[in-house]
Structures are given as structure tokens and as C-alpha cells.
Amino acid sequence: MSEDTAKKPRIHWFARLEHRLHVWRESRARRRGRTASILPFAGYGGTGWVRVLGRVLIVPPRRPNADGEYASVRGWRSFVGIPVGFAKARITIAGHTHEVIADRGGVIDAVLDVDLEAGWQTFTMSVEGQEPVEGTAFIVGDDVDFGILSDVDDTVMVTALPRPFIAAWNSFVVDEHARIPVPGMAVLLDQLKRQHPGAPMIYLSTGAWNVAPTLSRFMHRHLFPYGSMLLTDWGPTHDRWFRSGREHKLRNLRRLAEEFPHVKWLLIGDDGQHDEAIYSEFMIEHPDSVAGVAIRQLSTTEAMLAGGRAATDERPHAAPWVAASDGAGLREKLTDVGILH
């Protein structure tokens, strides 16, 4: 065995199987005349750069009913799109066109060198000669020193995600209009954004990119502030069965700390998963990047569905740490510690 072969990472067999399935489904869809399209996700950036996010998919057409209206969307429809691995996409931003390559799951996650003004900016994305679609990214100004980062599941939306059966039910079966917001959270996040108009709003979740459109519609419908979304791609990696949600969150938190060293983040999560432990670890590593932590405490029923509450480790005290059962309680406690006023 050569040295190069010995150093080459071994790809998990399930990952190879998943890739072959996607290739087969893509070939079958193309024989039927379907083409790929690009679905942009809200990104973010800073001075001289922007992180562009999106996904290349072959999506089955939705058919209207007899009245010309589209039926309510159930979760499983978000997962029937066929990811187009290693697709080449064209991104035109600030008068310049860049070519980027999607990953094995069709996800585009690229950092481009570009100078944009602070605030929400638009650009276009296209693939395979299709009509360009508009993407957005929030550019953080150099004078911004506060940011808001929130978990999604059981923090802004009641899902009881950790329990596999409930997760599958919420992800694949439940009509998106039946999803329930956590009381008071939209008001809390909106007040934070109004108090800090230049602050980035980032939703960090272990949910799959497949549900990003559903989450965006949910947040718009329930008046949550628009923000960048950092999700993950379900399924196997090169060396394990499934991606680690904890690693996904910590990796993105560390990345944000490096990208925006001048920003202190208010970290919002719940006590039913690993948010407390993740935020504690991040606070120890980057004490100057945390403005505070706000934890939504699950009800007894929610905690039971979620498989119990997270173990309460000793928390660092580099920044205020508050907890309450809903957005109104968190607003009151964040006011008490001076983060809200």
C-alpha cells in the first residue's frame, strides 16, 4: 500500500451508499426532463467578505388544486428534493461573477471577497443556465459590538426534537401551519433587534437544510425577525453514521467568534438539548465574545417528550446567565441584568 493511499481517509460505507442513491435519483429525474434549481439561504458577512449559502436541488413540481391554490405543506415534502452533488453555481454580487462548487449534498457554503455596505444586501445565484434567483446576506458593520444568536427547536418553535419519534413526526408529517411558536419569543427577539438595529440575527439549529424554507415561512408568519440561518445536512459523514449536532453548533460559534472578534453575542437556547453545555464551553473558550446567555426552560411535559432536561453543569460567570419558561420571562430577566432596557 502506497503512502498516499494510507493517508487517504476512508469513506464510511453508508456515506458511499447515500451518494450512490442520490446519483441514481438524479439520473432518473434528468431522464424525465427535470433540471436543477438553486435555493438560496440568508447568509452574512463583514467588511470585505460575505458568506453565501444555498443548495442545488431537483425539486418535484407542486401542483395546485382545482381552485388554483397550493395545499398546505407537510414536512415530508421538504425532503423529497434531490440534492445535486458538486454542482457548479454562478454567483453575481456587486457587479462581479464567481463560480463556486456545491458539496456532496448539494450545499453551497462559500466565502467571497467583496466590499458591501452594512445591512441586508442582495445578489443573484444561478445553476445550469437557469434564471438567476435572488439571495440575501446581512453585512455586519465594523462599529457593531452586539449580536443575537438563537437556537430554533424548542427555543422559538415547540418541537420536542430530541426524541426520535417526535422528531420524525414534526419533520415529516406535521403540517407547517400546525407548528407552534414558543410564547413571547418573537417579541423578545424583535425588541432585541430594535434596540440593536445593526446587530446580526442568526438562527443556529441542528435541523436539516431541507427544512430551511419551512422554518423561514414559519418565522415570517409568526413575526420573528429575519435573520441568517445556519443548519446542517442530515445523513452520514465520511467517518460516522450521522453528523454531530453538538459539533455543528460549536464549530459555527467558534467561527463567528473568529469572524467578528468585536461582537459580543447573546446566546439563546433551551435546557432540553445540549445548549447549556455548548454555550458554557464556548463561554470558557471565548469569554470576550459572549454578552450573555438566555435559556428557555422546558415545561415538565416538554422535558419528558424531549427525553429529560440537560444535566446542569457548573456554569461560567463571564457574562449574565438567565433562564425562564417563555419569552416574556426572559425579557424581564434580561432587563434586570441590563442587556435589555
Side-chain angles (χ1 to χ4, degrees):
M1 181 181 294
S2 68
E3 183 177 351
D4 290 341
T5 303
K7 291 182 179 179
K8 186 176 180 180
R10 184 177 181 181
I11 306 299
H12 196 286
W13 69 267
F14 193 40
R16 296 197 301 269
L17 179 62
E18 181 198 45
H19 180 64
R20 289 172 184 169
L21 175 62
H22 289 332
V23 170
W24 175 79
R25 292 181 66 208
E26 179 186 346
S27 300
R28 189 165 174 263
R30 291 190 184 279
R31 286 197 298 270
R32 296 181 175 182
R34 294 177 181 167
T35 56
S37 58
I38 192 165
L39 179 64
F41 307 129
Y44 65 86
T47 301
W49 63 275
V50 61
R51 184 180 181 184
V52 175
L53 300 165
R55 200 175 192 197
V56 182
L57 297 165
I58 297 177
V59 183
R62 289 182 62 197
R63 295 180 175 84
N65 57 26
D67 297 325
E69 299 178 350
Y70 291 98
S72 296
V73 180
R74 292 193 179 273
W76 64 268
R77 294 191 65 90
S78 301
F79 290 81
V80 297
I82 304 167
V84 181
F86 311 111
K88 183 183 293 185
R90 293 171 62 86
I91 301 171
T92 302
I93 185 168
H96 298 281
T97 298
H98 308 260
E99 289 192 347
V100 299
I101 305 298
D103 68 9
R104 180 168 55 89
V107 175
I108 292 171
D109 185 349
V111 175
L112 305 178
D113 294 330
V114 61
D115 288 314
L116 298 171
E117 294 184 2
W120 284 106
Q121 302 297 334
T122 61
F123 52 89
T124 61
M125 308 175 75
S126 64
V127 65
E128 296 183 4
Q130 301 296 315
E131 282 294 317
V133 295
E134 187 175 87
T136 59
F138 186 84
I139 307 302
V140 182
D142 289 337
D143 58 338
V144 173
D145 59 5
F146 184 85
I148 310 156
L149 183 141
S150 177
D151 178 42
V152 174
D153 305 311
D154 290 319
T155 302
V156 303
M157 176 195 294
V158 179
T159 60
L161 188 62
R163 185 173 173 179
F165 176 77
I166 301 297
W169 181 263
N170 279 296
S171 295
F172 295 102
V173 181
V174 174
D175 187 301
E176 71 177 43
H177 290 85
R179 298 171 191 267
I180 303 171
V182 173
M185 290 303 297
V187 176
L188 168 63
L189 295 178
D190 181 67
Q191 184 174 346
L192 285 165
K193 276 294 294 178
R194 283 188 287 108
Q195 187 170 305
H196 302 276
M201 176 73 240
I202 293 182
Y203 297 99
L204 175 60
S205 171
T206 57
W209 282 116
N210 307 66
V211 300
T214 299
L215 290 180
S216 295
R217 290 190 294 268
F218 170 88
M219 291 176 181
H220 177 74
R221 189 161 55 248
H222 294 285
L223 305 180
F224 283 92
Y226 187 55
S228 305
M229 199 170 293
L230 298 177
L231 306 183
T232 188
D233 189 15
W234 279 7
T237 64
H238 72 279
D239 61 351
R240 59 193 301 169
W241 282 88
F242 293 101
R243 287 164 174 78
S244 167
R246 181 188 177 102
E247 289 179 9
H248 164 70
K249 286 190 171 182
L250 272 172
R251 182 174 65 253
N252 277 285
L253 282 168
R254 290 163 178 158
R255 177 170 179 168
L256 289 168
E258 293 176 2
E259 292 170 332
F260 304 109
H262 54 290
V263 173
K264 287 181 177 289
W265 297 89
L266 174 62
L267 308 176
I268 306 173
D270 64 84
D271 64 356
Q273 299 187 51
H274 301 291
D275 290 343
E276 290 180 302
I278 291 169
Y279 294 166
S280 293
E281 184 172 346
F282 178 70
M283 187 183 292
I284 292 171
E285 293 178 355
H286 299 276
D288 294 334
S289 294
V290 180
V293 176
I295 296 295
R296 187 228 165 189
Q297 296 170 319
L298 302 186
S299 68
T300 302
T301 301
E302 289 171 330
M304 179 180 66
L305 291 174
R309 299 185 189 277
T312 54
D313 301 323
E314 184 177 351
R315 299 163 187 156
H317 296 285
W321 187 297
V322 302
S325 61
D326 57 21
L330 290 175
R331 284 175 62 207
E332 182 178 345
K333 293 194 175 183
L334 287 172
T335 301
D336 291 341
V337 298
I339 292 178
L340 275 174
H341 52 76

